[in-house]
């Protein structure tokens, strides 16, 4: 059973920093891309950042404040700096994973980790 497990969410003051981490567990053949989405109360889930083998992609609102990285094929990190109250949301890990004996990639989601930024 493939699972994505996030960690690192917390409550911080505006201007603070956090490091989120997500690890994929289980048996699978490949992970093509990993990334982070977020969902604030009353809003739709939105892309924060995504990375394939090497190329990161960021949402416009990141504005150089966040950095996504992959330590290895199974782990994706998101470093958040200069946080503002508008960054308050549940942050979800996302991964495109291929099982054995298939060419198809399935999208998996983590359970989410809460980030709260107070002014």
């Amino acid at each position: 059973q493939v699972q994505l497990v996030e960690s690192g969410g917390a409550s911080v003051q505006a201007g603070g920093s956090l490091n989120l981490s997500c690890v994929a567990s289980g048996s699978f053949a490949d992970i093509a891309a990993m990334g982070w989405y977020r969902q604030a109360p009353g809003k739709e889930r939105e892309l924060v950042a995504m990375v394939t083998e090497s190329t990161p992609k960021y949402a416009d609102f990141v504005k150089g404040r966040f950095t996504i990285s992959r330590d290895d094929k199974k782990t994706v990190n998101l470093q958040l700096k200069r946080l503002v109250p508008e960054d308050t949301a549940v942050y979800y890990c996302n991964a495109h994973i291929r099982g054995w004996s298939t060419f198809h990639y399935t999208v998996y989601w983590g359970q989410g980790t809460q980030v709260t930024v107070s002014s």
Side-chain angles (χ1 to χ4, degrees):
Q1 185 75 5
V2 175
Q3 284 189 315
L4 300 178
V5 180
E6 303 114 329
S7 62
S11 295
V12 297
Q13 296 274 345
S17 301
L18 283 174
N19 291 312
L20 306 184
S21 184
C22 172
V23 180
S25 64
S27 180
F28 46 84
D30 185 46
I31 301 180
M34 297 187 81
W36 292 89
Y37 284 70
R38 71 184 188 183
Q39 187 166 20
K43 294 189 176 182
E44 293 187 356
R45 191 172 297 188
E46 61 182 352
L47 173 69
V48 177
M50 183 70 69
V51 62
T52 57
E53 290 287 337
S54 59
T55 305
K57 174 184 176 182
Y58 295 98
D60 289 342
F61 62 77
V62 170
K63 296 179 181 177
R65 300 180 299 128
F66 301 169
T67 303
I68 191 169
S69 63
R70 284 181 74 173
D71 289 348
D72 52 43
K73 287 287 281 186
K74 297 183 179 182
T75 305
V76 64
N77 303 304
L78 185 67
Q79 185 180 49
L80 302 91
K81 293 184 177 179
R82 304 197 303 276
L83 286 161
V84 297
E86 292 74 22
D87 294 319
T88 295
V90 178
Y91 284 69
Y92 294 93
C93 179
N94 166 285
H96 296 234
I97 300 175
R98 179 170 62 86
W100 301 102
S101 303
T102 179
F103 293 106
H104 176 71
Y105 285 81
T106 299
V107 178
Y108 287 85
W109 294 92
Q111 80 285 356
T113 186
Q114 178 70 47
V115 172
T116 302
V117 184
S118 58
S119 58

